[in-house]
Each structure stands twice: as C-alpha cells, then as structure tokens.
Amino acid sequence: MTAHEPPDPRGTAGAPDDRGTHAVPGGPGDPVRHDVRGGHAPAYDAVVLAGGAARRLGGADKPGVRVGGRALLDRVLGACADARTTVVVADRRPTARPVRWAREEPPGGGPLAALEAGLRHTTADHVVVLSADLPFLEPATVRRLLAALRADRADGVLLTDAEGRDQPLVAAYRTAALHRVLASLATATATAPATGARPAPAPPRGSLAGLPLRRLTAALDLTRVPDHVASFDCDTWDDIAAARARIREHGHVLDEWISAVKDELGIDLDVDTGVLLDLARDAAHGVARPAAPLTTFLVGYAAARAGGGPQAVAEAARKAAALALRWEDEDSTRGEPDMAPDATPDTRPDAG
C-alpha cells in the first residue's frame, strides 16, 4: 500500500488459553453470544493476519510495535474481543487476550494462504478478517461491518480508505463464500499449466501461496463502506508516527490511556468513564484537588469488594459523588455559625 496521510480525527465515527482458544460463553455450538452492552448478537469468528514481512518497516516486528502504549496486534484484538473464536495467523507471541494460533504453509506465503489457514479454525457463519496493523479500529466498527453484512445479501462488507481503495483486511464476510472462492482458486492453481516463470522453489500445486488478495475480492459480491480512520493501517514509520500523534490529541488521549491501562492490568471492564470524571471533578472542587485521584481509587477498591462489574463501579461512584456534594454544601456555609440553631458555645464539637 502507499504511504498514508495522517488520519483526520473528525473522521467517521472459556477455555484455558496457553494463548490458545478464545473462551466463549455457551461453547462452540451456541448460535448467539452475550453482548457486553446487555443484548444478544449472532456469533462471529475473527481471523487476524499478523505474519507479514513488514518490509517497509525494515523488517521490524510490526504487530508488536506500540501505539499509545499498546501493541498494534493487541489494539486489533481489542476491537474484536467479543468474537466467539479469534484466530491469529502468525508465530506465537504474548497477547493481551487469549487467541488460537495458526500458520500458513509455507510461512510467509501471503494473505490468501494465511486466510485459508485461519479459516480452518472457524465455525461461525460470519467471519471478520483483519490485518494486525490497524491502530484506530474500534469495536463499533466491527459491529457496523457485521450489521451491514447481516442486513445485506452480499458475500462481504469491507471498508474503503481515504483514496477510495478497497481494504479487504478490514472486512466481514460470509464464511461459506470465502471457503467457496478459496477452494476455487486452489483448484485453478492445481490445474494451471506450469509456465516455468515462477520462482524456485515453487509452491505445491493447489497452493494459495503468492496469490494476491484481489483474486479473492474479484470473485466476491462486496458492499463497500467508506471509513478512512478505521481503515488506516501502518505500513511505514511515518504511519506509526502519525498514529502516535493522533491518539495524543485532546479528543482521544483519555480513552486511549484508559484502554492501555486496562490492557496492562488485565482488566476487561466497560465502565462509564463520564461518571468517574464527574466524581473526580466534584471531589477536586468540593474537597481538595488531591481528593480526586484518591477518591476514584477508593471507588475502584469498593467496587472490587462488591464483586466488580460496571454496576458495582456505578454504585460506588454514586455514593462517593453524593458525599462530595454534601461536603461541598457544608463548606459553602462557612460564613454562618458552625452550630445547630439551638446549640450554645459549650456544646459545639470543638468546645473546650
């Protein structure tokens, strides 16, 4: 791909792992899974391609490059965290979330071979296919792709970038359609006459190694969704620098920091950050500035003792916020007598 312009921030909106299979409620045969927002959505699988050579990064370990304190691969895994099974096609590495690992044959055989290797481990009717270098991919984008696919009769829904180019590695597909086209391409390579022009050693006949992604997309009926932010991928060090700069802008830095902290601490908790920010503001304004971080820490501790979860955080925050407001109300009456109306000087708490 060509070098990118920096993305516009105003753009469009369990099994034990040993780093093995992604844990899922209900098991592999469950047709639906619980959605973190409280509803239910049809299950989907995710295949993340993370085994490229990163030549334009000088051969650097691109999936491990950090943007906003998080490895690019971990950022992508966070966006598809509610997938029933998540398959990463690459050599094994530590990840923030449990995944299932796969590898194409031969290693480095290209995206179609990698996709075929990943699909072997999927069972859902729909699969989200992602590259491992998408710093701005969010769960909302994955949900939008899947919703568009389910509302359409197309074989897949993919994003297009700022130049209108297809991004087939930021897409949701019907799994059966991918199997059908990949099998057709493998058959075509198996029956094609040898030309002698292929580099040695040539891939086995019937292999998908070396075939470009356009061979896949050309054979599918696809719906396209423009999104130049979520489709932004990091091919060069300039792209990495642009991504690192954007997430530190005022409108993004707080959400990015919270996501990074949750990954670092192994916390998978979706809480209303606005409630916590309001609490911190009230504590700082009504009590004292150092009260803000200490109060939010105590809220977290109280929520953990209460069993954890968003509701426990919200309830602890509500109690602390009410206390901060009562404290401020008392402080606002400093000009009035600090005693009950019927109190005498020697009955005050500080009387000698």
Side-chain angles (χ1 to χ4, degrees):
M1 298 181 182
T2 59
H4 307 325
E5 293 296 322
D8 185 348
R10 296 167 297 180
T12 57
D17 96 329
D18 109 343
R19 298 308 172 195
T21 306
H22 198 304
V24 294
D30 192 350
V32 297
R33 60 160 294 137
H34 186 69
D35 186 281
V36 294
R37 295 161 297 160
H40 287 80
Y44 74 95
D45 294 332
V47 175
V48 182
L49 308 189
R55 293 182 181 87
R56 296 175 66 186
L57 289 177
D61 175 27
K62 182 160 66 167
V65 172
R66 294 185 176 273
V67 173
R70 302 162 66 200
L72 283 171
L73 175 57
D74 284 336
R75 298 178 72 89
V76 173
L77 294 178
C80 59
D82 59 348
R84 187 171 68 182
T85 299
T86 299
V87 186
V88 178
V89 186
D91 292 332
R92 289 174 177 251
R93 64 172 65 234
T95 55
R97 296 178 182 274
V99 302
R100 178 173 289 176
W101 295 95
R103 200 67 169 108
E104 73 274 21
E105 288 292 340
L112 284 190
L115 176 56
E116 193 274 336
L119 284 176
R120 294 176 194 161
H121 302 279
T122 65
T123 57
D125 291 339
H126 301 142
V127 61
V128 171
V129 178
L130 304 167
S131 61
D133 59 352
L134 302 165
F136 306 130
L137 186 70
E138 297 182 348
T141 307
V142 173
R143 291 194 295 266
R144 183 156 58 102
L145 287 168
L146 289 164
L149 180 64
R150 290 164 184 147
D152 201 297
R153 303 186 71 175
D155 294 325
V157 179
L158 54 75
L159 296 189
T160 58
D161 65 15
E163 286 74 41
R165 294 172 300 199
D166 288 353
Q167 299 297 316
L169 299 185
V170 201
Y173 298 98
R174 300 189 192 281
T175 310
L178 292 181
H179 281 301
R180 183 188 72 246
V181 174
L182 292 176
S184 176
L185 292 173
T187 299
T189 62
T191 58
T195 63
R198 304 182 75 170
R205 297 181 69 82
S207 170
L208 297 171
L211 294 183
L213 269 172
R214 64 177 177 271
R215 296 282 296 274
L216 174 72
T217 55
L220 292 170
D221 176 22
L222 298 173
T223 297
R224 290 159 174 85
V225 177
D227 190 331
H228 67 280
V229 175
S231 65
F232 181 86
D233 56 352
C234 293
D235 289 331
T236 68
W237 288 113
D238 284 344
D239 295 339
I240 297 291
R244 287 171 171 169
R246 179 184 184 270
I247 66 170
R248 284 167 170 77
E249 294 172 358
H250 176 71
H252 308 283
V253 65
L254 188 58
D255 286 342
E256 290 286 349
W257 169 250
I258 290 172
S259 294
V261 170
K262 288 196 295 185
D263 266 8
E264 192 71 18
L265 300 180
I267 300 171
D268 190 10
L269 181 65
D270 188 15
V271 298
D272 187 345
T273 55
V275 169
L276 296 179
L277 288 174
D278 288 344
L279 167 61
R281 180 202 62 211
D282 292 342
H285 177 74
V287 184
R289 197 168 286 273
L294 294 172
T295 304
T296 52
F297 164 78
L298 292 172
V299 163
Y301 183 77
R305 288 183 58 112
Q311 291 182 341
V313 174
E315 177 62 14
R318 183 193 64 78
K319 291 179 178 179
L323 175 61
L325 292 176
R326 293 199 303 270
W327 187 288
E328 184 180 13
D329 286 343
E330 290 181 12
D331 194 46
S332 67
T333 63
R334 280 179 296 184
E336 302 173 9
D338 188 18
M339 63 183 75
D342 57 350
T344 59
D346 60 350
T347 63
R348 291 182 302 170
D350 58 348

